[in-house]
């Protein structure tokens, strides 16, 4: 290629690597020669010269799970736009496998790491184990000097509560998952605060249980039996909301005429296919992945950020909510 362009090998290398000391006309000749020869630069050699490999490691604990895939898509799209590559490792929740993959990624000289948590609870920091920048996505590092990008669960619950209140709902219940999950606790807490300010405490208190439709069906029947005046239920996930929907339909309770229903996650396999389709909170997981990649690039450029970024959620309105009606005969809310 250097011969075709009429320059030395060193000048051709400088031109391909966009070094400033090469004249524009010379660089143009080299690039045209490279195009004619379909030349592809040696990425490994370029990496040895720059100290970079053009790859980042992505370590997840649940590749086949609900939350990882959208985050990974957001990372991959952003990384691909920067002409970089991703090395993906799935630890499957196993500490030994996670340690092995971490050593493997570092041995391949990745420029940085994105760690995707299986939940949004705290996870051990890698600050003492790796010498490259790390960004934590969805799961939060326990080191405040790290950068963690997580979903804003309090914001999501606030959106759900305000939407139900705006629809005229006056007796709102809450069915959610295990209290060991910070997401469940934060959503319940934020819901309670909004309703308290409106003078309407959560009907029956927050009902914590399993993240299963079976639990949701049982909880819905219990809640309606104890509080027949209930006119809305906010669920901690779309899967729970589908279980609640099953029970309400079986009991002849109309959605949303009698009881409005809001889910969480915007997991379309549940939210869009429910009967009726669910109003829900979208956690924007793909955007979280994209943001993690962008912040990692900033760190690689010397502009690292620390702390916790709570990524905003959004309300997706479907047929399971609407204005409150008076069609169901009741003696009024029982709280």
């Amino acid at each position: 290629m250097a011969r075709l362009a009429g320059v030395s090998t060193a000048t051709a290398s400088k031109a391909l690597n966009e070094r400033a000391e090469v004249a524009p006309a010379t660089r143009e000749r080299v690039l045209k020669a490279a195009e004619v020869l379909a030349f592809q630069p040696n990425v490994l050699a370029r990496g040895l010269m720059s100290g970079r490999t053009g790859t980042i490691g992505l370590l997840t604990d649940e590749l086949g799970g609900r939350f990882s895939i959208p985050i990974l898509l957001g990372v991959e799209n952003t990384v691909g736009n920067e002409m970089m590559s991703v090395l993906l490792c799935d630890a499957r929740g196993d500490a030994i496998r996670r340690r092995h993959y971490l050593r493997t990624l570092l041995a391949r000289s990745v420029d940085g790491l994105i760690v995707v948590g299986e939940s949004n609870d705290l996870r051990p920091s890698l600050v003492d184990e790796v010498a490259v920048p790390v960004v934590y996505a969805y799961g939060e590092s326990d080191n405040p000097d790290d950068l963690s990008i997580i979903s804003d669960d309090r914001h999501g619950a606030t959106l759900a509560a305000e939407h139900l209140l705006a629809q005229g709902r006056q007796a709102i219940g809450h069915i959610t998952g295990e209290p060991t999950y910070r997401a469940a606790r934060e959503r319940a807490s934020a819901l309670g605060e909004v309703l308290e300010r409106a003078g309407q405490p959560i009907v029956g208190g927050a009902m914590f249980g399993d993240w299963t439709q079976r639990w949701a069906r049982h909880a819905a029947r219990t809640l309606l039996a104890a509080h027949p005046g209930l006119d809305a239920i906010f669920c901690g996930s779309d899967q729970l909301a589908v279980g609640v929907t099953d029970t309400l339909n079986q009991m002849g309770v109309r959605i949303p005429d009698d009881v409005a229903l809001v889910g969480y996650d915007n997991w379309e396999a549940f939210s869009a296919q429910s009967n009726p389709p669910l109003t829900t909170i979208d956690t924007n997981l793909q955007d979280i992945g994209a943001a993690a990649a962008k912040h990692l690039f900033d760190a690689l450029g010397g502009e690292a950020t620390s702390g916790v970024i709570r990524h905003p959620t959004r309300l997706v309105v479907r047929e399971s909510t609407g204005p409150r009606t008076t069609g169901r005969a009741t003696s009024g809310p029982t709280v």
Side-chain angles (χ1 to χ4, degrees):
M1 179 188 63
R3 185 181 305 170
L4 180 62
V7 298
S8 68
T9 302
T11 298
S13 177
K14 291 177 182 179
L16 290 172
N17 286 283
E18 300 182 356
R19 299 280 289 275
E21 57 263 39
V22 179
T26 302
R27 178 179 288 108
E28 183 67 22
R29 290 207 314 275
V30 171
L31 293 177
K32 285 184 178 179
E35 184 178 353
V36 169
L37 297 174
F39 174 79
Q40 293 294 326
N42 187 316
V43 175
L44 179 59
R46 178 177 291 182
L48 291 173
M49 294 175 61
S50 66
R52 298 276 179 84
T53 61
T55 59
I56 65 169
L58 205 159
L59 182 62
T60 180
D61 273 320
E62 55 144 14
L63 181 58
R66 157 70 182 100
F67 302 106
S68 286
I69 294 297
I71 294 173
L72 301 184
L73 288 173
V75 171
E76 198 280 330
N77 287 340
T78 304
V79 169
N81 291 339
E82 296 294 327
M83 303 301 290
M84 295 182 71
S85 301
V86 177
L87 295 178
L88 171 63
C89 296
D90 180 14
R92 304 178 193 173
D94 182 84
I96 296 176
R97 185 187 293 267
R98 189 182 306 115
R99 190 69 50 197
H100 163 71
Y101 280 137
L102 182 60
R103 289 196 299 265
T104 299
L105 290 169
L106 295 176
R108 291 179 175 269
S109 300
V110 293
D111 297 328
L113 289 170
I114 294 176
V115 179
V116 180
E118 76 279 10
S119 72
N120 70 354
D121 289 346
L122 292 176
R123 62 179 300 133
S125 172
L126 299 177
V127 67
D128 295 326
E129 303 178 53
V130 301
V132 297
V134 182
V135 175
Y136 300 81
Y138 194 70
E140 180 182 343
S141 168
D142 62 5
N143 188 330
D145 293 330
D146 290 334
L147 176 63
S148 304
I149 303 176
I150 64 175
S151 179
D152 192 342
D153 289 296
R154 294 187 61 82
H155 178 249
T158 298
L159 289 176
E162 291 175 345
H163 174 67
L164 290 172
L165 291 172
Q167 300 297 314
R169 304 296 166 165
Q170 300 176 356
I172 301 171
H174 184 44
I175 296 172
T176 190
E178 300 167 34
T180 54
Y181 280 71
R182 186 175 63 177
R185 298 193 304 272
E186 290 192 350
R187 293 168 193 172
S189 174
L191 174 70
E193 290 173 9
V194 174
L195 295 185
E196 286 286 354
R197 289 196 296 270
Q200 301 178 27
I202 300 174
V203 174
M207 300 181 69
F208 292 93
D210 299 329
W211 295 101
T212 63
Q213 289 169 248
R214 180 178 180 180
W215 153 247
R217 287 192 289 268
H218 167 75
R221 191 169 293 276
T222 300
L223 187 61
L224 265 295
H227 306 282
L230 190 80
D231 62 13
I233 302 175
F234 169 45
C235 295
S237 76
D238 291 336
Q239 186 170 359
L240 292 175
V242 167
V244 171
T245 298
D246 291 342
T247 293
L248 297 183
N249 287 336
Q250 290 169 8
M251 295 176 66
V253 177
R254 299 170 300 170
I255 307 171
D257 302 61
D258 300 329
V259 174
L261 191 60
V262 177
Y264 206 102
D265 296 328
N266 197 25
W267 188 356
E268 292 197 355
F270 288 110
S271 61
Q273 303 303 318
S274 177
N275 181 27
L278 290 169
T279 292
T280 185
I281 303 299
D282 193 326
T283 50
N284 297 320
L285 294 175
Q286 193 161 328
D287 291 345
I288 289 177
K294 290 174 182 175
H295 279 282
L296 183 60
F297 295 150
D298 290 343
L300 291 173
E303 299 180 4
T305 305
S306 62
V308 178
I309 296 175
R310 297 183 180 276
H311 206 71
T313 57
R314 68 185 180 96
L315 177 72
V316 178
V317 178
R318 297 192 179 96
E319 289 90 328
S320 69
T321 58
R324 183 170 180 256
T325 69
T326 58
R328 184 161 56 123
T330 97
S331 57
T334 303
V335 179

